[in-house]
Amino acid sequence: MAASQNPAPGAPGIDARWTSSAKSGVGTALTAASRTWFTTSHGILNEVYHPRLDHACTRDLGLVVTRDDGYFSEEKRHAAHEVAWFADGVPAFHLTNTALDGAYRIEKRILTDPLRPTVLQNIRFTPLSGAASDYHVYALLAPHLVNAGMGNSAWIGEYKGVTMLFASGRGQFLALASSLPWREASAGYVGVSDGWRALSASGRLDARYTSAPDGNVALTGEIGFTPTQDFALLALSFGPSADEAGYNALASLNAGFDSAARAYVAGWHDWQKDLLPLDQPGHKGPNLYRTSTAVLGTHRSSSFPGPAIASLSVPWGFNKGDDDLGGYHLVWPRDLVETAGGFLAVGLVDDALEILAYLRTIQEADGHWPQNVWLDGTAYWNGIQMDECGFPLLLADALHRAGALSGEMLLAYLPMVERATAYLVKNGPVTGEDRWEEDSGYSPFTLAVEIAALLAAADVLDACDRREAARFARETADCWNDQVEKWTYASGTDTCAALGVSGYYVRIAPSDLSGAASPRDGFVPIKNRPPDDADRRPDLIVSPDALALVRFGLRAPDDPRIVDTVKVIDASLRADLPQGPVWYRYTDDGYGEHPNGGPFDGTGQGRPWPLLTGERAHYELAAGRPQVAFDLLGTFAASAGPGGLLPEQVWDGADMPERELLHGRPSGSAMPLVWAHAEYVKLLRSLRDGHVFDMPPQGPARYIKNRTTAPFRSWRFNNRIRTLAEGKMLRLELLAAATVRWSADAWMTVEESTTRENAFGVHVVDIPVSHLSVGQGVEFTFFWRDAQRWEGRNFGVIVAPE
């Protein structure tokens, strides 16, 4: 197949951009032969992913309608859009686009061919004004085969005598074919010589340009509609060569839409039939339970069993270019475990087990998991989030308790559990980044996950006869749990006085240079705000994150400290929207549109997250208020977009229709957010069961029922405590063997103690100072035995009220 010889001018085209992240549909066939995922919004096909779930191949594929009298209409901009699912839980879509001026209607049915890497669109064009012969209908395709806009090549060619629109980039090829032959076609550079530019200027396509190598390219073809042929089938196919892409396109066209649709629908019906019946009777519109499970299923990889990405979208993609390769089509270990929890909630234990197997494979050698990764485990960002190091342990324990992980299989996961637990006990409780990926310090959410994960790991370790390791994990959890309030609970503040509360948990407390946290001192830099308006005192920032202390079983829902914190959260972060209350992430969040509706561009103003309504509903259920939780379920569902997809954020300002921002409706952030759909199905399961489905059992038994506390406080170089509660022993935890020289009487007498290495490679020594009274203290230094040197400085801890 020879490429065309008439290159378009204007290489390489304007800077590339992604497209809207507000998807109305996402879909894929549940077959290994397809390996193709599609998205829709504004009535057209958006990003298509192939051959991997994390690899975008297109920006969009839409239609332009012209007439010889100069009429020009682009369906995504100049039409009203309706979307309907083929059936509940079947992510194939019927799109109806009606021109705002009443000139035409376009109906599409979209799905992927289960037998081939092809996206099929069955399109009907109906003139509503004038005759069919008056109109020209063009398909416009923007290839992004290199997971970016630049570096693509496009041309008009043939496969077996059939004219097709081709593109290539980085060893991948696509072909766009039509069942009605293309009347004319062109290739060009976006913004200079592309088909949209020609059609908007003259109403006619400049078919002189048949190739556009190495740039931001576009392909355009006129579909051969006639007065008697108002249906066309478009096949967008992929392959490792142009010929294979052409073959797949022609084979899909020959097989036809109906046969592909039957197999596609049957595959999803077969998958949905195994799910627990958690449907909400009497619900109007799309069945959000089936929609949510389909979203979870669609975001799974077929080439790498186990992983699911965060979203088939690039938040505010229309404002982002090739410098944002990842978008949200990456794997976050936290989101992935939340997805696994969704699968467990609906009865798909094997799917959750596949996720754990994937997590075992991509675990780093030192025991942690990367902040986020491509499907093959290659890190994209390099932050360390300690909750992401704990979540896989919670999943392992949940599967163990469900009976899916036992015997030899449990032993096979023991190295993963041991490495992850070792990483937690060596590097916690402080986190490099909180769950919002912004600040380091002591976060109630991260602490809750860390402590619950250590207790969960201890049970797994016990089941594998690792008694000493289990004991140390529980002791560490107890010690950290005792200090959650010391690290993150503020009292006596202006906020307390204003709201009549005794205190509250802050969003995050920074660790100062000495390694000790304070919820009152220092500053928290808010990442997405202008540099001159970023720092806040920790006691001025609150977050619904504190409810994790209840969700993970560390504090009772009626604990006065929790109740007071809820009052502060609601006073600061609750947005009462038409659908009901939705909460912001934290005080002065900057991750969202600007006040004028402009897209987030590194700074902005955070908007409410429906996900947090789901988390609040779980708190209300734990607190014994199931009706409140059920009402919040309705709010959660009512935050969905027109296709039933749950967004990351919703708009809280006045309507700005020119920016597609409507009060209470999805903003320009990611949609769908898989994590939100997982939370929704977990909430359905929790409401059915009458208790929080994914609450680990160890915390409530240990800390709420039995009120277990630790007899010691631990000092380590990343958590250098400066005070010690009266009656507590001092435990020193080091990463190398040492002799500790210490004194409890200002060096009038000197003691020496030798560390012992435990099962996690932590060198531990307990200093018996529980007899000291308030105001007394202990000083100590270290002789490092392997290096044969003294530390060269002293450290001290004072006994004080905690």
Side-chain angles (χ1 to χ4, degrees), residues 170-183:
R170 201 178 295 167
Q172 289 293 321
F173 294 78
L174 66 75
L176 178 62
S178 173
S179 63
L180 297 180
W182 303 111
R183 285 205 178 102

Side-chain angles (χ1 to χ4, degrees), residues 116-133:
R116 301 168 190 90
T118 301
V119 181
L120 291 170
Q121 295 189 78
N122 198 33
I123 300 173
R124 183 181 187 182
F125 177 77
T126 303
L128 302 179
S129 174
S133 57

